[in-house]
Amino acid sequence: MNFWEKPLNTLTQPEWEKLCDGCGRCCMQKFEDEDTGEILHTHIACRLFDANRCACSDYSHRLLRVPECLNMRHFEAEHFQWLPKTCAYRLRFEGKALLAWHPLLSGSQEQMHELGISMRNKSISEDDVDEEQWVDYIIDVTDVDEK
Ligand code: SF4
Ligand code: SF4
């Protein structure tokens, strides 16, 4: 059995890290619709997100530098709804298979970027937008979630 098919709580730390597709979608600010409970995604990125690399610019210190950045290994069940529906950790938490474009299946991140799944070069830093305006940066992720 491939490690990404095993239960999340049985993965070693290296396996856990490899499970991440590198899409960067978890690093975008989100809102919860008070009426529907729906999670609304924006393209406002965490201040540590490097849009060109589509990666955290200080991954090893992220939890110290950004208190809102949580360690997914300690997620409670209700936290997973805040992750994109395409997120490998959310998929595996829900008992689903990885999507065909996942780098572990496709061999690289290129297909993910070409399909427009990732946030590479698509975000704007939270430092560059007033927080009260973040709501103006909500994006429709329906297409991405269905790929
Ligand atoms: S959304 Fe999930 S798979 Fe994508 S970068 Fe974030 S943690 Fe990794
Ligand atoms: S600290 Fe890094 S990993 Fe955490 S949300 Fe920000 S960019 Fe993403």
Side-chain angles (χ1 to χ4, degrees):
M1 180 187 274
N2 295 307
F3 75 81
W4 56 87
E5 297 167 325
K6 296 178 186 171
L8 280 180
N9 62 4
T10 67
L11 300 185
T12 64
Q13 191 59 30
E15 289 171 341
W16 178 274
E17 297 296 336
K18 282 184 202 158
L19 187 58
C20 178
D21 58 31
C23 69
R25 298 185 66 202
C26 56
C27 301
M28 303 298 124
Q29 299 292 347
K30 300 173 190 69
F31 298 97
E32 183 173 16
D33 186 309
E34 288 180 0
D35 298 324
T36 65
E38 182 188 1
I39 303 301
L40 305 170
H41 297 244
T42 76
H43 59 112
I44 301 282
C46 167
R47 70 186 72 89
L48 288 191
F49 186 70
D50 181 331
N52 294 322
R53 288 178 48 242
C54 196
C56 184
S57 60
D58 193 7
Y59 187 73
S60 57
H61 300 113
R62 71 195 188 286
L63 302 177
L64 289 172
R65 293 185 61 187
V66 179
E68 308 85 49
C69 183
L70 304 177
N71 186 341
M72 290 182 198
R73 287 221 92 159
H74 303 306
F75 262 20
E76 304 289 342
E78 66 268 22
H79 289 143
F80 284 90
Q81 64 160 334
W82 288 92
L83 294 172
K85 290 180 179 169
T86 59
C87 173
Y89 299 103
R90 177 168 174 173
L91 288 167
R92 294 304 302 134
F93 171 74
E94 295 173 346
K96 297 174 183 170
L98 297 187
L99 298 167
W101 50 259
H102 192 289
L104 285 169
L105 304 180
S106 69
S108 80
Q109 292 186 334
E110 277 319 298
Q111 190 179 7
M112 173 184 72
H113 292 314
E114 285 168 11
L115 286 171
I117 310 291
S118 79
M119 295 305 294
R120 185 172 71 175
N121 295 326
K122 287 191 212 162
S123 63
I124 180 166
S125 172
E126 63 186 1
D127 287 339
D128 295 332
V129 183
D130 288 339
E131 191 165 346
E132 55 268 27
Q133 292 178 332
W134 288 0
V135 71
D136 296 335
Y137 291 78
I138 288 173
I139 52 174
D140 183 353
V141 295
T142 311
D143 284 353
V144 173
D145 283 346
E146 290 174 353
K147 283 182 178 164

